mmCIF file of all heavy atoms in Angstrom:
data_model
loop_
_atom_site.group_PDB
_atom_site.id
_atom_site.type_symbol
_atom_site.label_atom_id
_atom_site.label_comp_id
_atom_site.label_asym_id
_atom_site.label_seq_id
_atom_site.Cartn_x
_atom_site.Cartn_y
_atom_site.Cartn_z
ATOM 1 N N PRO H 19 -4.759 105.728 -4.452
ATOM 2 C CA PRO H 19 -4.697 104.556 -3.569
ATOM 3 C C PRO H 19 -5.159 103.309 -4.307
ATOM 4 O O PRO H 19 -6.013 103.381 -5.193
ATOM 5 C CB PRO H 19 -5.666 104.937 -2.429
ATOM 6 C CG PRO H 19 -6.594 105.935 -3.030
ATOM 7 C CD PRO H 19 -5.773 106.706 -4.021
ATOM 8 N N PRO H 20 -4.576 102.166 -3.987
ATOM 9 C CA PRO H 20 -4.989 100.929 -4.658
ATOM 10 C C PRO H 20 -6.430 100.602 -4.323
ATOM 11 O O PRO H 20 -6.934 100.961 -3.256
ATOM 12 C CB PRO H 20 -4.026 99.883 -4.082
ATOM 13 C CG PRO H 20 -3.619 100.431 -2.752
ATOM 14 C CD PRO H 20 -3.581 101.920 -2.940
ATOM 15 N N PRO H 21 -7.129 99.935 -5.240
ATOM 16 C CA PRO H 21 -8.525 99.577 -4.964
ATOM 17 C C PRO H 21 -8.595 98.625 -3.782
ATOM 18 O O PRO H 21 -7.662 97.853 -3.531
ATOM 19 C CB PRO H 21 -8.974 98.892 -6.263
ATOM 20 C CG PRO H 21 -7.707 98.414 -6.907
ATOM 21 C CD PRO H 21 -6.676 99.430 -6.536
ATOM 22 N N PRO H 22 -9.678 98.680 -3.033
ATOM 23 C CA PRO H 22 -9.799 97.781 -1.870
ATOM 24 C C PRO H 22 -9.761 96.327 -2.309
ATOM 25 O O PRO H 22 -10.297 95.963 -3.370
ATOM 26 C CB PRO H 22 -11.160 98.163 -1.272
ATOM 27 C CG PRO H 22 -11.909 98.814 -2.392
ATOM 28 C CD PRO H 22 -10.875 99.521 -3.220
ATOM 29 N N ARG H 23 -9.099 95.514 -1.508
ATOM 30 C CA ARG H 23 -8.973 94.098 -1.837
ATOM 31 C C ARG H 23 -10.332 93.418 -1.730
ATOM 32 O O ARG H 23 -11.053 93.581 -0.752
ATOM 33 C CB ARG H 23 -7.988 93.427 -0.883
ATOM 34 C CG ARG H 23 -7.692 91.975 -1.230
ATOM 35 C CD ARG H 23 -6.625 91.427 -0.315
ATOM 36 N NE ARG H 23 -6.324 90.044 -0.636
ATOM 37 C CZ ARG H 23 -5.415 89.314 0.000
ATOM 38 N NH1 ARG H 23 -4.709 89.866 0.995
ATOM 39 N NH2 ARG H 23 -5.207 88.062 -0.335
ATOM 40 N N ARG H 24 -10.660 92.655 -2.770
ATOM 41 C CA ARG H 24 -11.949 91.979 -2.800
ATOM 42 C C ARG H 24 -11.972 90.852 -1.765
ATOM 43 O O ARG H 24 -11.052 90.046 -1.699
ATOM 44 C CB ARG H 24 -12.200 91.411 -4.202
ATOM 45 C CG ARG H 24 -13.525 90.691 -4.356
ATOM 46 C CD ARG H 24 -13.604 90.087 -5.746
ATOM 47 N NE ARG H 24 -14.820 89.308 -5.919
ATOM 48 C CZ ARG H 24 -15.086 88.570 -6.991
ATOM 49 N NH1 ARG H 24 -14.205 88.525 -7.981
ATOM 50 N NH2 ARG H 24 -16.198 87.875 -7.079
ATOM 51 N N ARG H 25 -13.008 90.829 -0.985
ATOM 52 C CA ARG H 25 -13.142 89.788 0.036
ATOM 53 C C ARG H 25 -13.429 88.443 -0.630
ATOM 54 O O ARG H 25 -14.256 88.352 -1.532
ATOM 55 C CB ARG H 25 -14.262 90.151 1.000
ATOM 56 C CG ARG H 25 -14.442 89.154 2.127
ATOM 57 C CD ARG H 25 -15.558 89.576 3.042
ATOM 58 N NE ARG H 25 -15.776 88.596 4.103
ATOM 59 C CZ ARG H 25 -16.748 88.666 4.999
ATOM 60 N NH1 ARG H 25 -17.591 89.681 4.966
ATOM 61 N NH2 ARG H 25 -16.874 87.731 5.916
ATOM 62 N N PHE H 26 -12.716 87.414 -0.174
ATOM 63 C CA PHE H 26 -12.909 86.080 -0.753
ATOM 64 C C PHE H 26 -14.264 85.530 -0.336
ATOM 65 O O PHE H 26 -14.597 85.494 0.846
ATOM 66 C CB PHE H 26 -11.801 85.127 -0.289
ATOM 67 C CG PHE H 26 -11.933 83.737 -0.835
ATOM 68 C CD1 PHE H 26 -11.486 83.429 -2.108
ATOM 69 C CD2 PHE H 26 -12.518 82.744 -0.068
ATOM 70 C CE1 PHE H 26 -11.618 82.149 -2.603
ATOM 71 C CE2 PHE H 26 -12.652 81.460 -0.556
ATOM 72 C CZ PHE H 26 -12.197 81.147 -1.838
ATOM 73 N N SER H 27 -15.053 85.127 -1.315
ATOM 74 C CA SER H 27 -16.357 84.517 -1.059
ATOM 75 C C SER H 27 -16.315 83.087 -1.569
ATOM 76 O O SER H 27 -16.190 82.858 -2.768
ATOM 77 C CB SER H 27 -17.469 85.297 -1.765
ATOM 78 O OG SER H 27 -18.695 84.590 -1.678
ATOM 79 N N MET H 28 -16.392 82.128 -0.653
ATOM 80 C CA MET H 28 -16.286 80.735 -1.052
ATOM 81 C C MET H 28 -17.396 80.341 -2.017
ATOM 82 O O MET H 28 -17.152 79.708 -3.045
ATOM 83 C CB MET H 28 -16.325 79.826 0.180
ATOM 84 C CG MET H 28 -16.123 78.352 -0.137
ATOM 85 S SD MET H 28 -16.115 77.321 1.341
ATOM 86 C CE MET H 28 -17.853 77.437 1.816
ATOM 87 N N ILE H 29 -18.624 80.727 -1.712
ATOM 88 C CA ILE H 29 -19.747 80.350 -2.564
ATOM 89 C C ILE H 29 -19.596 80.951 -3.955
ATOM 90 O O ILE H 29 -19.838 80.303 -4.969
ATOM 91 C CB ILE H 29 -21.086 80.796 -1.928
ATOM 92 C CG1 ILE H 29 -21.267 80.135 -0.558
ATOM 93 C CG2 ILE H 29 -22.240 80.440 -2.848
ATOM 94 C CD1 ILE H 29 -21.259 78.623 -0.596
ATOM 95 N N ARG H 30 -19.157 82.219 -4.011
ATOM 96 C CA ARG H 30 -19.014 82.882 -5.304
ATOM 97 C C ARG H 30 -17.907 82.245 -6.136
ATOM 98 O O ARG H 30 -17.963 82.260 -7.372
ATOM 99 C CB ARG H 30 -18.735 84.376 -5.090
ATOM 100 C CG ARG H 30 -18.812 85.191 -6.378
ATOM 101 C CD ARG H 30 -18.910 86.682 -6.101
ATOM 102 N NE ARG H 30 -17.875 87.138 -5.188
ATOM 103 C CZ ARG H 30 -18.122 87.780 -4.044
ATOM 104 N NH1 ARG H 30 -19.368 88.028 -3.668
ATOM 105 N NH2 ARG H 30 -17.139 88.183 -3.260
ATOM 106 N N GLU H 31 -16.905 81.671 -5.460
ATOM 107 C CA GLU H 31 -15.790 81.060 -6.173
ATOM 108 C C GLU H 31 -16.084 79.624 -6.618
ATOM 109 O O GLU H 31 -15.308 79.047 -7.356
ATOM 110 C CB GLU H 31 -14.549 81.059 -5.269
ATOM 111 C CG GLU H 31 -14.011 82.441 -4.934
ATOM 112 C CD GLU H 31 -13.490 83.175 -6.150
ATOM 113 O OE1 GLU H 31 -12.956 82.503 -7.057
ATOM 114 O OE2 GLU H 31 -13.627 84.405 -6.206
ATOM 115 N N PHE H 32 -17.189 79.052 -6.195
ATOM 116 C CA PHE H 32 -17.516 77.681 -6.575
ATOM 117 C C PHE H 32 -17.861 77.596 -8.056
ATOM 118 O O PHE H 32 -18.533 78.464 -8.606
ATOM 119 C CB PHE H 32 -18.699 77.171 -5.737
ATOM 120 C CG PHE H 32 -18.276 76.367 -4.542
ATOM 121 C CD1 PHE H 32 -17.219 76.777 -3.751
ATOM 122 C CD2 PHE H 32 -18.939 75.202 -4.193
ATOM 123 C CE1 PHE H 32 -16.833 76.045 -2.642
ATOM 124 C CE2 PHE H 32 -18.569 74.464 -3.096
ATOM 125 C CZ PHE H 32 -17.513 74.883 -2.312
ATOM 126 N N HIS H 33 -17.402 76.510 -8.693
ATOM 127 C CA HIS H 33 -17.760 76.203 -10.073
ATOM 128 C C HIS H 33 -18.534 74.894 -10.090
ATOM 129 O O HIS H 33 -18.591 74.169 -9.089
ATOM 130 C CB HIS H 33 -16.505 76.090 -10.944
ATOM 131 C CG HIS H 33 -15.687 77.343 -10.984
ATOM 132 N ND1 HIS H 33 -16.126 78.504 -11.584
ATOM 133 C CD2 HIS H 33 -14.446 77.624 -10.483
ATOM 134 C CE1 HIS H 33 -15.199 79.444 -11.456
ATOM 135 N NE2 HIS H 33 -14.172 78.939 -10.785
ATOM 136 N N LEU H 34 -19.100 74.561 -11.224
ATOM 137 C CA LEU H 34 -19.888 73.334 -11.338
ATOM 138 C C LEU H 34 -19.072 72.114 -10.930
ATOM 139 O O LEU H 34 -19.563 71.236 -10.211
ATOM 140 C CB LEU H 34 -20.396 73.179 -12.778
ATOM 141 C CG LEU H 34 -21.182 71.896 -13.074
ATOM 142 C CD1 LEU H 34 -22.450 71.828 -12.211
ATOM 143 C CD2 LEU H 34 -21.539 71.831 -14.555
ATOM 144 N N ALA H 35 -17.827 72.053 -11.373
ATOM 145 C CA ALA H 35 -16.987 70.897 -11.049
ATOM 146 C C ALA H 35 -16.799 70.737 -9.546
ATOM 147 O O ALA H 35 -16.681 69.608 -9.046
ATOM 148 C CB ALA H 35 -15.631 71.035 -11.737
ATOM 149 N N ASP H 36 -16.789 71.841 -8.812
ATOM 150 C CA ASP H 36 -16.563 71.772 -7.373
ATOM 151 C C ASP H 36 -17.704 71.053 -6.652
ATOM 152 O O ASP H 36 -17.489 70.408 -5.625
ATOM 153 C CB ASP H 36 -16.380 73.176 -6.790
ATOM 154 C CG ASP H 36 -15.165 73.884 -7.376
ATOM 155 O OD1 ASP H 36 -14.211 73.187 -7.749
ATOM 156 O OD2 ASP H 36 -15.186 75.129 -7.451
ATOM 157 N N PHE H 37 -18.907 71.152 -7.191
ATOM 158 C CA PHE H 37 -20.031 70.453 -6.568
ATOM 159 C C PHE H 37 -19.901 68.943 -6.758
ATOM 160 O O PHE H 37 -20.313 68.166 -5.897
ATOM 161 C CB PHE H 37 -21.353 70.971 -7.125
ATOM 162 C CG PHE H 37 -21.687 72.367 -6.681
ATOM 163 C CD1 PHE H 37 -21.446 73.449 -7.520
ATOM 164 C CD2 PHE H 37 -22.213 72.610 -5.416
ATOM 165 C CE1 PHE H 37 -21.742 74.739 -7.109
ATOM 166 C CE2 PHE H 37 -22.507 73.901 -5.001
ATOM 167 C CZ PHE H 37 -22.265 74.964 -5.845
ATOM 168 N N PHE H 38 -19.326 68.525 -7.874
ATOM 169 C CA PHE H 38 -19.050 67.108 -8.069
ATOM 170 C C PHE H 38 -17.945 66.653 -7.118
ATOM 171 O O PHE H 38 -17.970 65.525 -6.617
ATOM 172 C CB PHE H 38 -18.665 66.836 -9.523
ATOM 173 C CG PHE H 38 -19.839 66.773 -10.458
ATOM 174 C CD1 PHE H 38 -20.421 67.929 -10.941
ATOM 175 C CD2 PHE H 38 -20.376 65.552 -10.837
ATOM 176 C CE1 PHE H 38 -21.518 67.878 -11.790
ATOM 177 C CE2 PHE H 38 -21.472 65.488 -11.682
ATOM 178 C CZ PHE H 38 -22.047 66.653 -12.163
ATOM 179 N N THR H 39 -16.982 67.535 -6.861
ATOM 180 C CA THR H 39 -15.937 67.216 -5.886
ATOM 181 C C THR H 39 -16.539 67.017 -4.504
ATOM 182 O O THR H 39 -16.156 66.100 -3.768
ATOM 183 C CB THR H 39 -14.891 68.343 -5.836
ATOM 184 O OG1 THR H 39 -14.370 68.566 -7.151
ATOM 185 C CG2 THR H 39 -13.747 67.975 -4.903
ATOM 186 N N LEU H 40 -17.499 67.857 -4.138
ATOM 187 C CA LEU H 40 -18.172 67.696 -2.859
ATOM 188 C C LEU H 40 -19.001 66.408 -2.831
ATOM 189 O O LEU H 40 -19.163 65.787 -1.771
ATOM 190 C CB LEU H 40 -19.061 68.907 -2.573
ATOM 191 C CG LEU H 40 -18.321 70.229 -2.320
ATOM 192 C CD1 LEU H 40 -19.324 71.357 -2.088
ATOM 193 C CD2 LEU H 40 -17.387 70.103 -1.125
ATOM 194 N N GLY H 41 -19.516 66.005 -3.995
ATOM 195 C CA GLY H 41 -20.206 64.719 -4.081
ATOM 196 C C GLY H 41 -19.257 63.580 -3.760
ATOM 197 O O GLY H 41 -19.624 62.612 -3.080
ATOM 198 N N ASN H 42 -18.021 63.694 -4.237
ATOM 199 C CA ASN H 42 -16.975 62.727 -3.916
ATOM 200 C C ASN H 42 -16.774 62.667 -2.391
ATOM 201 O O ASN H 42 -16.779 61.591 -1.787
ATOM 202 C CB ASN H 42 -15.698 63.153 -4.640
ATOM 203 C CG ASN H 42 -14.460 62.384 -4.208
ATOM 204 O OD1 ASN H 42 -14.516 61.412 -3.461
ATOM 205 N ND2 ASN H 42 -13.307 62.832 -4.676
ATOM 206 N N ALA H 43 -16.618 63.819 -1.772
ATOM 207 C CA ALA H 43 -16.402 63.870 -0.320
ATOM 208 C C ALA H 43 -17.586 63.297 0.441
ATOM 209 O O ALA H 43 -17.419 62.569 1.432
ATOM 210 C CB ALA H 43 -16.146 65.308 0.123
ATOM 211 N N ALA H 44 -18.803 63.604 -0.020
ATOM 212 C CA ALA H 44 -20.004 63.104 0.647
ATOM 213 C C ALA H 44 -20.066 61.579 0.593
ATOM 214 O O ALA H 44 -20.463 60.925 1.569
ATOM 215 C CB ALA H 44 -21.254 63.707 0.019
ATOM 216 N N CYS H 45 -19.661 61.000 -0.538
ATOM 217 C CA CYS H 45 -19.623 59.536 -0.654
ATOM 218 C C CYS H 45 -18.625 58.957 0.344
ATOM 219 O O CYS H 45 -18.888 57.923 0.972
ATOM 220 C CB CYS H 45 -19.248 59.124 -2.077
ATOM 221 S SG CYS H 45 -20.548 59.379 -3.304
#
Side-chain angles (χ1 to χ4, degrees):
R23 185 175 180 179
R24 180 184 176 186
R25 182 180 178 185
F26 180 82
S27 171
M28 184 178 70
I29 300 301
R30 190 165 51 236
E31 294 295 326
F32 263 43
H33 300 292
L34 177 61
D36 298 331
F37 289 100
F38 281 81
T39 304
L40 292 178
N42 170 8
C45 287

